[in-house]
Amino acid sequence: MTGRVGRAAAVCAALGVLWWATVRLAWAGVGCDDWGCLVPAVGVVVLISLGLLAWSARALERAGVRPGRRVALATAGVLVAFRLAGESLPSWTSSFAHVVATALAFGGAGAVGAFVTEKG
């Protein structure tokens, strides 16, 4: 079980860094300076997130974490819980801190997702 949880954490941490970089690029591409572009910008972030969730199921399967779809859905639920809990934390100005925190959150959520979907 430890190998499965570790593989899920590693895959999800890598996907978290990919998500962070993709969202930053998309947000910079939208160039949002006022409230009028907030809806399209958030829409792009939601589409990126949903696409990465769908792709994460396949990536987890390829890493030997099965069933990938169930683990991906459990991981998404844990990420939502982490995000809600993170609202009480202060924000950082450092991009490096953001990418590390994202990798840790995604990796931790992947580990929890793999653990709760383990048979037995």
Side-chain angles (χ1 to χ4, degrees):
M1 181 173 86
T2 304
R4 181 177 184 267
V5 171
R7 285 191 310 272
V11 167
C12 289
L15 291 173
V17 172
L18 177 64
W19 176 85
W20 177 83
T22 307
V23 166
R24 289 211 21 136
L25 286 173
W27 197 266
V30 170
C32 195
D33 287 335
D34 61 2
W35 288 99
C37 67
L38 187 61
V39 173
V42 171
V44 168
V45 170
V46 168
L47 287 175
I48 290 169
S49 300
L50 290 175
L52 195 64
L53 173 65
W55 193 69
S56 70
R58 184 174 176 94
L60 287 164
E61 287 277 342
R62 292 188 54 94
V65 182
R66 292 181 178 81
R69 187 178 308 157
R70 244 178 98 203
V71 175
L73 288 174
T75 300
V78 173
L79 278 170
V80 169
F82 282 177
R83 177 65 183 152
L84 292 174
E87 286 297 318
S88 64
L89 298 174
S91 63
W92 298 293
T93 56
S94 167
S95 292
F96 180 73
H98 286 166
V99 75
V100 169
T102 300
L104 289 174
F106 273 70
V112 172
F115 180 77
V116 300
T117 57
E118 182 70 32
K119 293 179 182 173

